[in-house]
Amino acid sequence: MGASRSAGLINGDHVNADRGAILPRAPSYILAFILFLTGVFLLSGGIYLAWLGGSLFFAAAGFGLVVSAILIGLRQPLGVLIFFFVFAVTILWSLFDVGLDFWPLFSRLFAPAVLAVPISLLLPAGWPRGSTAVHRTSRVVAGGTALALVATLAATFATHGDVSGTAASAPVAGKGVYLARGGDWEAWGRTAAGTRYAPLNQITPANVDKLTVAWTYRTGEIPSKGEAHVVTPLAINGTLYGCTHSSRLFALDAESGKELWSYDPKAIGHTFPRCRGVGYFDATAPLPGASKAAAPDTIPVSSTSPCASRIIASTVDARLIAVDAKTGKLCSEFGTEGIVDLTTGIGDIKTGFYFQTSAATVARGVVVVGARITDNQDVSEPSGVIRGFSARTGALIWAWDIGSPATTGLPSPGQTYTRGTPNMWAPPAYDDALGLIYLPTGNATPDFWGGKRSKESDRYSSAVVALDIATGKERWTFQTVHHDVWDYDVPAQPSLYDVPDGHGGTLPGLIQITKRGEIFLLDRRTGKPIAPVVERAVPQGAAPGDRLSPTQPFSIGMPAIGTEPLTESRMWGATLLDQLVCRIQFKSAIYQGAFTPQSTTPSVQYPGWAGGMNWGSASVAENLGYLIVNDVRLPMINRLIPRAEYEAGVKRKSLQPIIAAQTGTPFGLQQQRFLSPLGVPCQAPPFGTITAIDLATRKIVWSHPLGTVRDTGPLGIPVGLNIPIGMPTLGGPITTASGLIFMAGTQDYYIRALDVRTGKELWKGRLPVGGETTPMTYVAPRSGRQFVVISAGGNRSTEIRGDYIIAFALPSSGRH
């Protein structure tokens, strides 16, 4: 009797064959509750998605899960079978929807597979006794699914989304613009060519894994929210020169990192403080080809004179300062006691609307500066005028004001430089042989509605412009976006490199990366494309009062990076639930591919205005002819808000998360990153890559996702695992003659060394916080030791900040 009763009990429930089988009570209720909530979410959201014209799968799957949940809640085995039917359909749908791509399949199948394990174990408990096949099948399904889950988790640590290109096995190199000059890093891009290539070979692919921290310098200024410590220092004659986000200048001993001097300009009134670098000028050298206007400055001075060599830097309150490179003291003959007021001739400036963030560029004794102008605020923001000052006296040599070509110096009394014109906030590049300086220009203000822009603004917006360094006169202009209302300003320094012409010679190339992910290869003598560029028709439908260009330039002769159009199938999430939300957002917004017009209905912009590529700029491995670029893949959702609605929303404080006034236009602006409810990008990974392009064949050599989720993750919670999903990057790469790429800029706290030929990661150094900038490398003259230096100030994905400058080097015994 007792044995018979015991055999009829399963997890505390009595089984009566005449009344039908039932499932165990507690597990059934728990799983039914989870399935029911999941099913209701998928069903309700899926119905709405279907109404928007999207996939029918989510509504159907949600209905199936609700039925399954109800039956399991009633402790009926049929509920388990229905769940597995839905799971099987989900697998088939996923394969049809995205093929065998790992991360899209992970998003669709991992969470259902987790539920499948305990649900499969319910089945035997609800089946009549003696059904050993059911018991065995249940264990096999649960065990097989669990093993598949473990294998899937293990596979997340592998890199997915690699691209192997078709470059020649023996690269055909071109030629650098500037000869290698020892172990210094003498300009923000190492040289004025902006290639970030160092002809150094002490650290090699064979020994780079032995790099260790050699020294660390703390600036004493830890950035707060909105601030950024992103300097790339210079290394000249055994001294490093840099700046803090508040514009304090410092000099360090190249061997030890010990501070030699510091100068604080006490900059005030800034709203976006950062300093990406400084300029250097040697007054003891003659100035070949200097302009007549600068003739008094052409006579070299003695190396023992004060300020014979000087550091020239702009500040975040719009001043240009020059200090003695040896002492840090102001150069009294420069401007007014070492300072030039960059607001002269600009006119009215609201606090924080006009200042410099990029390094001043020094070319033939001329200091060329542009400005950062706050986006999207007013149709009459400060002028984007570009100016050239004497590196010796600080006198204005020339001005390039697109709205007033006759104004080549200071404006007439009572006048200002033309307001609201395109600016230059990234550094230019310079070719001394041609006497040309190449400006990457921004788009005219405000960024997302251009109905009041002048013809001149439309001509020079989002372009590369070549000016004569002596006179500031325009030589040529090449525009990357016509009538830019997407904030696709040219964000990066051009790279100058003589590219192979296919006939044993070279052509003088200029390589311009863009936020669009398009790469333009131009003849730097004329601005004509070396790699073909075509005009393609783009979507129309301008906002009221605005206009759109019917065509836009596409660089078909160079690879485009991260520009594959979005589709509903490309929507992503950690689970089907947040993927569904992303699909609803996508189908609710306007998206017509590249150059989707701005509208009062939310519209998806991809690439977003953060890139594509951004200010970190590219590197050219000059000895191989490889172009190295990193990118951001983060769509944006924009919406133009009619003026009355905008003003009312500002008053109620109901507009979120990012808004801008665009005063003087019919519309305010609302923007947000296109993210899932968990805070991850809505399109499938990778969210950032690093890519090598052969400039001889103009084909991709390799491309890899860059960055892990160790120090970030859903809802801003660090995952803590080195899963190489590929994250958005800010900052840029550098290359060396030994065949290495050094790159930080990721959302995890690492600087990495990659093999330039293959992209294989060879080493990574852990940083105390993120290093969202471009590194540099140099050889210290006393020891002959090569150092790699990175600033670590934190990144935008976390609130953790730092004030570090960290140098890595090989141990003395590991240098060879």
Side-chain angles (χ1 to χ4, degrees):
M1 181 76 177
S4 174
R5 177 175 176 80
S6 174
L9 284 173
I10 301 175
N11 291 340
D13 286 307
H14 184 68
V15 175
N16 186 322
D18 294 332
R19 295 173 54 196
I22 58 174
L23 301 175
R25 181 181 290 112
S28 297
Y29 291 163
I30 294 171
L31 289 170
F33 181 70
I34 294 171
L35 285 179
F36 185 78
L37 291 181
T38 302
V40 168
F41 187 93
L42 291 178
L43 178 60
S44 57
I47 291 172
Y48 184 49
L49 177 63
W51 181 77
L52 292 170
S55 172
L56 301 176
F57 164 79
F58 291 87
F63 177 77
L65 290 182
V66 168
V67 173
S68 171
I70 292 172
L71 291 173
I72 290 176
L74 294 174
R75 299 157 66 195
Q76 298 298 310
L78 180 60
V80 176
L81 298 180
I82 292 175
F83 169 82
F84 276 100
F85 175 78
V86 173
F87 187 28
V89 171
T90 301
I91 294 172
L92 294 175
W93 168 78
S94 299
L95 293 171
F96 175 80
D97 200 36
V98 296
L100 296 176
D101 287 348
F102 178 82
W103 286 114
L105 286 178
F106 181 95
S107 170
R108 290 157 173 79
L109 298 179
F110 189 82
V114 170
L115 288 173
V117 174
I119 290 176
S120 65
L121 293 175
L122 283 179
L123 192 57
W127 211 262
R129 286 180 296 161
S131 301
T132 57
V134 174
H135 287 249
R136 186 180 303 112
T137 300
S138 170
R139 289 194 297 269
V140 168
V141 170
T145 305
L147 287 175
L149 288 170
V150 171
T152 300
L153 288 175
T156 63
F157 290 90
T159 302
H160 303 278
D162 285 344
V163 174
S164 297
T166 57
S169 58
V172 178
K175 186 173 63 175
V177 175
Y178 292 98
L179 295 176
R181 287 180 271 191
D184 285 352
W185 191 280
E186 61 188 35
W188 186 72
R190 189 177 181 273
T191 70
T195 60
R196 276 156 283 279
Y197 167 77
L200 307 180
N201 55 21
Q202 184 181 120
I203 303 172
T204 69
N207 63 23
V208 67
D209 62 330
K210 297 181 176 61
L211 285 180
T212 58
V213 174
W215 54 259
T216 299
Y217 171 71
R218 304 288 299 271
T219 71
E221 297 182 31
I222 297 178
S224 58
K225 187 175 181 179
E227 301 175 342
H229 170 52
V230 291
V231 63
T232 299
L234 306 184
I236 300 170
N237 298 328
T239 303
L240 267 63
Y241 301 99
C243 50
T244 68
H245 62 276
S246 72
S247 301
R248 181 176 67 84
L249 305 180
F250 57 81
L252 311 178
D253 178 78
E255 301 280 359
S256 64
K258 178 182 177 182
E259 184 175 284
L260 302 177
W261 57 255
S262 173
Y263 171 75
D264 187 356
K266 301 188 186 305
I268 59 174
H270 45 71
T271 59
F272 190 73
R274 59 210 62 221
C275 177
R276 296 190 178 107
V278 299
Y280 175 82
F281 176 62
D282 182 1
T284 67
L287 299 176
S291 67
K292 292 181 180 180
D297 300 342
T298 61
I299 303 172
V301 302
S302 168
S303 60
T304 59
S305 300
C307 286
S309 58
R310 59 189 64 179
I311 298 301
I312 299 178
S314 55
T315 68
V316 292
D317 59 359
R319 290 178 287 163
L320 190 66
I321 59 177
V323 301
D324 191 310
K326 293 181 180 179
T327 66
K329 294 182 179 180
L330 286 170
C331 300
S332 59
E333 74 279 12
F334 184 88
T336 302
E337 295 300 318
I339 299 174
V340 172
D341 183 359
L342 294 176
T343 66
T344 302
I346 301 299
D348 294 336
I349 303 173
K350 296 178 182 178
T351 300
F353 268 49
Y354 184 91
F355 55 92
Q356 291 67 38
T357 56
S358 292
T361 297
V362 183
R364 284 195 190 176
V366 180
V367 184
V368 181
V369 293
R372 183 222 183 235
I373 298 173
T374 304
D375 288 345
N376 300 313
Q377 299 303 311
D378 198 305
V379 295
S380 184
E381 292 183 12
S383 175
V385 62
I386 314 298
R387 289 170 288 178
F389 297 89
S390 167
R392 292 185 176 171
T393 68
L396 179 65
I397 298 174
W398 51 258
W400 184 64
D401 179 0
I402 68 168
S404 179
T407 304
T408 58
L410 286 172
S412 301
Q415 302 298 309
T416 69
Y417 295 113
T418 308
R419 296 182 69 83
T421 53
N423 63 328
M424 178 190 73
W425 59 268
Y430 169 65
D431 184 334
D432 189 65
L434 295 175
L436 296 180
I437 189 159
Y438 304 96
L439 317 178
T441 67
N443 63 333
T445 181
D447 298 277
F448 291 87
W449 188 88
K452 294 185 177 181
R453 292 182 190 166
S454 67
K455 291 181 180 180
E456 293 80 11
S457 287
D458 265 350
R459 177 184 175 190
Y460 294 105
S461 179
S462 305
V464 183
V465 181
L467 302 184
D468 186 301
I469 190 62
T471 65
K473 297 294 186 181
E474 177 194 351
R475 289 283 191 86
W476 57 257
T477 296
F478 177 87
Q479 192 166 58
T480 68
V481 181
H482 307 319
H483 191 70
D484 182 1
V485 289
W486 298 271
D487 195 11
Y488 279 151
D489 43 18
V490 180
Q493 183 182 38
S495 296
L496 311 183
Y497 182 70
D498 293 347
V499 297
D501 64 2
H503 305 288
T506 60
L507 294 171
L510 179 149
I511 304 149
Q512 184 61 67
I513 61 175
T514 68
K515 289 183 179 180
R516 293 175 53 201
E518 298 280 329
I519 302 171
F520 294 92
L521 176 57
L522 311 176
D523 187 319
R524 63 179 182 271
R525 298 169 298 186
T526 63
K528 302 298 183 184
I530 292 174
V533 175
V534 298
E535 292 284 333
R536 288 178 176 167
V538 293
Q540 297 297 290
D546 204 350
R547 59 192 181 276
L548 293 176
S549 171
T551 65
Q552 293 289 353
F554 287 81
S555 180
I556 63 171
M558 290 287 287
I561 307 299
T563 61
E564 180 184 355
L566 298 178
T567 62
E568 186 191 337
S569 292
R570 288 193 65 196
M571 296 301 101
W572 197 74
T575 68
L576 279 173
L577 304 183
D578 51 321
Q579 182 188 140
L580 173 58
V581 175
C582 287
R583 286 176 178 248
I584 290 173
Q585 289 185 77
F586 181 71
K587 297 297 289 188
S588 299
I590 298 171
Y591 178 70
Q592 298 172 331
F595 297 105
T596 295
Q598 309 302 333
S599 171
T600 53
T601 299
S603 62
V604 177
Q605 178 186 355
Y606 184 73
W609 46 256
M613 295 82 166
N614 211 295
W615 61 264
S617 306
S619 180
V620 178
E622 295 182 0
N623 59 336
L624 296 177
Y626 284 179
L627 174 70
I628 310 299
V629 297
N630 60 286
D631 72 317
V632 176
R633 303 185 185 186
L634 186 60
M636 301 297 298
I637 297 180
N638 307 319
R639 182 170 79 93
L640 295 176
I641 309 173
R643 181 59 54 193
E645 179 187 341
Y646 177 84
E647 299 298 341
V650 169
K651 187 175 182 179
R652 294 193 306 267
K653 298 182 179 180
S654 61
L655 296 176
Q656 297 293 335
I658 304 171
I659 59 172
Q662 298 196 141
T663 302
T665 78
F667 303 100
L669 177 69
Q670 185 176 38
Q671 298 182 308
Q672 64 185 45
R673 294 176 177 85
F674 189 14
L675 304 176
S676 82
L678 297 181
V680 299
C682 267
Q683 90 283 1
F687 310 128
T689 68
I690 187 165
T691 301
I693 298 168
D694 188 327
L695 290 171
T697 64
R698 299 167 201 167
K699 303 292 185 182
I700 290 176
V701 183
W702 51 260
S703 182
H704 303 311
L706 185 67
T708 72
V709 292
R710 172 166 178 171
D711 299 298
T712 188
L715 301 176
I717 301 171
V719 174
L721 300 173
N722 288 319
I723 297 175
I725 196 169
M727 302 299 287
T729 58
L730 278 179
I734 67 172
T735 53
T736 70
S738 65
L740 291 172
I741 300 167
F742 288 101
M743 174 75 199
T746 56
Q747 293 185 1
D748 53 7
Y749 301 169
Y750 289 107
I751 179 172
R752 291 173 167 85
L754 311 177
D755 188 313
V756 73
R757 290 178 178 270
T758 66
K760 179 182 178 181
E761 183 180 298
L762 303 174
W763 167 84
K764 61 184 178 184
R766 184 70 174 165
L767 303 174
V769 295
E772 201 171 70
T773 187
T774 303
M776 52 84 72
T777 185
Y778 64 94
V779 171
R782 292 201 307 272
S783 66
R785 195 178 184 195
Q786 183 183 350
F787 293 83
V788 176
V789 170
I790 183 71
S791 295
N795 57 49
R796 300 186 191 189
S797 65
T798 73
E799 297 297 321
I800 303 172
R801 298 289 183 264
D803 63 342
Y804 304 88
I805 293 179
I806 302 172
F808 295 86
L810 298 173
S812 297
S813 60
R815 284 170 49 192
H816 301 292

